[in-house]
mmCIF file of all heavy atoms in Angstrom:
data_model
loop_
_atom_site.group_PDB
_atom_site.id
_atom_site.type_symbol
_atom_site.label_atom_id
_atom_site.label_comp_id
_atom_site.label_asym_id
_atom_site.label_seq_id
_atom_site.Cartn_x
_atom_site.Cartn_y
_atom_site.Cartn_z
ATOM 1 N N THR A 750 102.724 -193.371 -43.174
ATOM 2 C CA THR A 750 102.576 -192.511 -44.343
ATOM 3 C C THR A 750 103.886 -191.787 -44.611
ATOM 4 O O THR A 750 104.563 -191.335 -43.679
ATOM 5 C CB THR A 750 101.454 -191.473 -44.122
ATOM 6 O OG1 THR A 750 100.229 -192.156 -43.845
ATOM 7 C CG2 THR A 750 101.265 -190.601 -45.353
ATOM 8 N N ALA A 751 104.259 -191.683 -45.876
ATOM 9 C CA ALA A 751 105.499 -190.991 -46.234
ATOM 10 C C ALA A 751 105.363 -190.366 -47.614
ATOM 11 O O ALA A 751 104.694 -190.913 -48.496
ATOM 12 C CB ALA A 751 106.686 -191.951 -46.209
ATOM 13 N N LYS A 752 106.022 -189.234 -47.796
ATOM 14 C CA LYS A 752 106.097 -188.609 -49.105
ATOM 15 C C LYS A 752 107.310 -189.145 -49.853
ATOM 16 O O LYS A 752 108.286 -189.585 -49.238
ATOM 17 C CB LYS A 752 106.201 -187.094 -48.959
ATOM 18 C CG LYS A 752 104.981 -186.443 -48.336
ATOM 19 C CD LYS A 752 105.186 -184.942 -48.176
ATOM 20 C CE LYS A 752 103.962 -184.297 -47.536
ATOM 21 N NZ LYS A 752 104.162 -182.829 -47.325
ATOM 22 N N THR A 753 107.254 -189.092 -51.157
ATOM 23 C CA THR A 753 108.430 -189.471 -51.944
ATOM 24 C C THR A 753 109.364 -188.284 -52.062
ATOM 25 O O THR A 753 108.968 -187.123 -51.945
ATOM 26 C CB THR A 753 108.033 -189.947 -53.345
ATOM 27 O OG1 THR A 753 107.326 -188.889 -54.015
ATOM 28 C CG2 THR A 753 107.164 -191.183 -53.279
ATOM 29 N N TYR A 754 110.634 -188.586 -52.299
ATOM 30 C CA TYR A 754 111.670 -187.582 -52.512
ATOM 31 C C TYR A 754 112.378 -187.972 -53.792
ATOM 32 O O TYR A 754 112.970 -189.053 -53.897
ATOM 33 C CB TYR A 754 112.625 -187.577 -51.322
ATOM 34 C CG TYR A 754 113.836 -186.679 -51.450
ATOM 35 C CD1 TYR A 754 113.695 -185.297 -51.490
ATOM 36 C CD2 TYR A 754 115.123 -187.212 -51.484
ATOM 37 C CE1 TYR A 754 114.801 -184.467 -51.575
ATOM 38 C CE2 TYR A 754 116.238 -186.401 -51.563
ATOM 39 C CZ TYR A 754 116.081 -185.030 -51.612
ATOM 40 O OH TYR A 754 117.185 -184.210 -51.699
ATOM 41 N N TYR A 755 112.275 -187.108 -54.798
ATOM 42 C CA TYR A 755 112.757 -187.433 -56.138
ATOM 43 C C TYR A 755 112.262 -188.821 -56.562
ATOM 44 O O TYR A 755 113.007 -189.644 -57.098
ATOM 45 C CB TYR A 755 114.272 -187.325 -56.215
ATOM 46 C CG TYR A 755 114.751 -185.893 -56.192
ATOM 47 C CD1 TYR A 755 115.434 -185.382 -55.089
ATOM 48 C CD2 TYR A 755 114.493 -185.037 -57.264
ATOM 49 C CE1 TYR A 755 115.846 -184.046 -55.064
ATOM 50 C CE2 TYR A 755 114.905 -183.711 -57.237
ATOM 51 C CZ TYR A 755 115.572 -183.218 -56.138
ATOM 52 O OH TYR A 755 115.970 -181.896 -56.117
ATOM 53 N N GLY A 756 110.996 -189.073 -56.255
ATOM 54 C CA GLY A 756 110.328 -190.257 -56.780
ATOM 55 C C GLY A 756 110.487 -191.520 -55.982
ATOM 56 O O GLY A 756 110.048 -192.581 -56.446
ATOM 57 N N GLU A 757 111.081 -191.456 -54.771
ATOM 58 C CA GLU A 757 111.251 -192.713 -54.056
ATOM 59 C C GLU A 757 111.189 -192.570 -52.548
ATOM 60 O O GLU A 757 111.285 -191.483 -51.990
ATOM 61 C CB GLU A 757 112.544 -193.406 -54.465
ATOM 62 C CG GLU A 757 113.813 -192.707 -54.128
ATOM 63 C CD GLU A 757 115.022 -193.492 -54.647
ATOM 64 O OE1 GLU A 757 115.061 -194.715 -54.497
ATOM 65 O OE2 GLU A 757 115.925 -192.852 -55.211
ATOM 66 N N ALA A 758 111.016 -193.729 -51.898
ATOM 67 C CA ALA A 758 110.975 -193.846 -50.444
ATOM 68 C C ALA A 758 111.432 -195.257 -50.100
ATOM 69 O O ALA A 758 111.776 -196.053 -50.986
ATOM 70 C CB ALA A 758 109.571 -193.568 -49.916
ATOM 71 N N MET A 759 111.448 -195.576 -48.816
ATOM 72 C CA MET A 759 111.848 -196.919 -48.397
ATOM 73 C C MET A 759 111.097 -197.300 -47.124
ATOM 74 O O MET A 759 110.752 -196.449 -46.306
ATOM 75 C CB MET A 759 113.352 -197.006 -48.147
ATOM 76 C CG MET A 759 113.855 -198.435 -47.909
ATOM 77 S SD MET A 759 115.660 -198.569 -47.757
ATOM 78 C CE MET A 759 115.913 -197.948 -46.106
ATOM 79 N N ALA A 760 110.863 -198.591 -46.981
ATOM 80 C CA ALA A 760 110.272 -199.131 -45.761
ATOM 81 C C ALA A 760 111.189 -200.213 -45.208
ATOM 82 O O ALA A 760 111.832 -200.947 -45.966
ATOM 83 C CB ALA A 760 108.892 -199.724 -46.051
ATOM 84 N N VAL A 761 111.256 -200.291 -43.885
ATOM 85 C CA VAL A 761 111.966 -201.373 -43.207
ATOM 86 C C VAL A 761 110.944 -202.098 -42.342
ATOM 87 O O VAL A 761 110.184 -201.469 -41.604
ATOM 88 C CB VAL A 761 113.114 -200.853 -42.323
ATOM 89 C CG1 VAL A 761 113.889 -202.021 -41.725
ATOM 90 C CG2 VAL A 761 114.044 -199.947 -43.111
ATOM 91 N N LEU A 762 110.891 -203.411 -42.471
ATOM 92 C CA LEU A 762 109.910 -204.190 -41.721
ATOM 93 C C LEU A 762 110.569 -205.398 -41.081
ATOM 94 O O LEU A 762 111.617 -205.865 -41.514
ATOM 95 C CB LEU A 762 108.751 -204.610 -42.623
ATOM 96 C CG LEU A 762 109.098 -205.380 -43.905
ATOM 97 C CD1 LEU A 762 109.080 -206.877 -43.669
ATOM 98 C CD2 LEU A 762 108.129 -205.011 -45.021
ATOM 99 N N ARG A 763 109.935 -205.871 -40.024
ATOM 100 C CA ARG A 763 110.370 -207.098 -39.382
ATOM 101 C C ARG A 763 109.390 -208.201 -39.752
ATOM 102 O O ARG A 763 108.166 -208.031 -39.620
ATOM 103 C CB ARG A 763 110.415 -206.936 -37.864
ATOM 104 C CG ARG A 763 111.003 -208.150 -37.146
ATOM 105 C CD ARG A 763 110.797 -208.086 -35.640
ATOM 106 N NE ARG A 763 111.547 -207.021 -35.002
ATOM 107 C CZ ARG A 763 112.829 -207.099 -34.685
ATOM 108 N NH1 ARG A 763 113.520 -208.198 -34.960
ATOM 109 N NH2 ARG A 763 113.446 -206.102 -34.093
ATOM 110 N N GLY A 764 109.924 -209.323 -40.217
ATOM 111 C CA GLY A 764 109.081 -210.425 -40.640
ATOM 112 C C GLY A 764 108.500 -211.205 -39.480
ATOM 113 O O GLY A 764 108.964 -211.100 -38.336
ATOM 114 N N GLY A 765 107.486 -211.989 -39.773
ATOM 115 C CA GLY A 765 106.903 -212.868 -38.775
ATOM 116 C C GLY A 765 107.709 -214.141 -38.619
ATOM 117 O O GLY A 765 108.885 -214.211 -38.997
ATOM 118 N N GLU A 766 107.063 -215.177 -38.082
ATOM 119 C CA GLU A 766 107.763 -216.435 -37.804
ATOM 120 C C GLU A 766 107.786 -217.369 -39.006
ATOM 121 O O GLU A 766 108.807 -217.989 -39.314
ATOM 122 C CB GLU A 766 107.095 -217.139 -36.617
ATOM 123 C CG GLU A 766 107.042 -216.315 -35.349
ATOM 124 C CD GLU A 766 108.396 -216.201 -34.694
ATOM 125 O OE1 GLU A 766 109.269 -217.030 -34.984
ATOM 126 O OE2 GLU A 766 108.585 -215.277 -33.875
ATOM 127 N N THR A 767 106.642 -217.484 -39.670
ATOM 128 C CA THR A 767 106.526 -218.404 -40.815
ATOM 129 C C THR A 767 105.657 -217.768 -41.890
ATOM 130 O O THR A 767 105.033 -216.726 -41.678
ATOM 131 C CB THR A 767 105.892 -219.741 -40.391
ATOM 132 O OG1 THR A 767 104.581 -219.489 -39.845
ATOM 133 C CG2 THR A 767 106.745 -220.448 -39.345
#
Side-chain angles (χ1 to χ4, degrees):
T750 302
K752 295 178 181 178
T753 59
Y754 174 67
Y755 287 110
E757 65 182 316
M759 189 175 76
V761 184
L762 55 92
R763 186 191 293 279
E766 303 287 340
T767 59

